[in-house]
Amino acid sequence: PLLHGQFDSTQQENCIIKKITIEGAHTVPPRAILAKVPYRVGDYFDAKKSGLTIRALHLLGYFQNIALATYQISDNELEVRIVVTEKPRIVTITYEGNKIISAQKLDEKLGVKNIKTLDENELKNIADQIKKLYREKNYHHTVVTGTLK
């Protein structure tokens, strides 16, 4: 999603960025987010960089929603506000009913140590990977479900 303030983009293009604000970041430090943002305080605002900003932040893999808004501070200054919603953070991963492949082996094969956040789509992908591991051991009717708590 891309949001802009209440004035037209040609007026925005003539404005200097006075302030960049990050909202909603709890796990990812604001400096890590700002490192991926092509805007800098003191630069002229360029609306074309908004899409680049959202794509760059999405590639970090920590956010399920990213919005960018601009707010006019004065006739020639604006604030760029980046609002993120973080994916749920992983505290523990628990396997139940895995008698053929140990939890340690699943962790190793799935690269669990590298997973910091998870959403429903990623959870489904992990479940599919587990099914594949069981099929490789000739357990073709294995049912794998996942839940986020």
Side-chain angles (χ1 to χ4, degrees):
L2 179 61
L3 306 172
H4 284 287
Q6 299 296 323
F7 55 103
D8 71 49
S9 63
T10 50
Q11 186 179 359
Q12 287 178 340
E13 298 283 331
N14 295 322
C15 288
I16 293 173
I17 299 170
K18 179 76 172 175
K19 182 179 183 182
I20 301 173
T21 307
I22 309 294
E23 293 180 4
H26 305 290
T27 303
V28 181
R31 69 183 179 286
I33 294 171
L34 288 171
K36 297 295 182 183
V37 173
Y39 294 116
R40 298 289 174 256
V41 171
D43 289 352
Y44 280 96
F45 180 77
D46 180 354
K48 294 175 192 131
K49 291 182 179 179
S50 297
L52 296 173
T53 299
I54 291 170
R55 277 188 289 286
L57 294 178
H58 178 74
L59 288 173
L60 288 174
Y62 289 101
F63 308 112
Q64 57 189 12
N65 193 31
I66 303 161
L68 188 141
T70 57
Y71 298 93
Q72 193 160 2
I73 295 172
S74 68
D75 287 344
N76 66 343
E77 296 177 320
L78 59 80
E79 172 188 353
V80 174
R81 190 173 301 164
I82 300 166
V83 182
V84 296
T85 305
E86 294 180 341
K87 293 177 185 177
R89 189 162 186 239
I90 299 297
V91 177
T92 61
I93 294 179
T94 306
Y95 307 99
E96 294 176 6
N98 52 309
K99 294 180 174 109
I100 304 303
I101 304 174
S102 71
Q104 182 179 357
K105 194 65 150 176
L106 287 171
D107 284 350
E108 181 184 306
K109 292 282 189 181
L110 300 171
V112 167
K113 289 181 183 177
N114 299 325
I115 301 172
K116 304 292 183 225
T117 62
L118 199 62
D119 63 22
E120 291 291 338
N121 289 332
E122 293 163 327
L123 184 61
K124 183 187 178 314
N125 185 33
I126 289 171
D128 290 343
Q129 290 177 48
I130 293 171
K131 285 181 196 177
K132 181 180 176 192
L133 291 170
Y134 271 85
R135 276 194 306 271
E136 289 171 359
K137 296 204 174 276
N138 286 323
Y139 290 88
H140 297 281
H141 300 290
T142 302
V143 176
V144 179
T145 58
T147 55
L148 295 176
K149 296 180 184 179

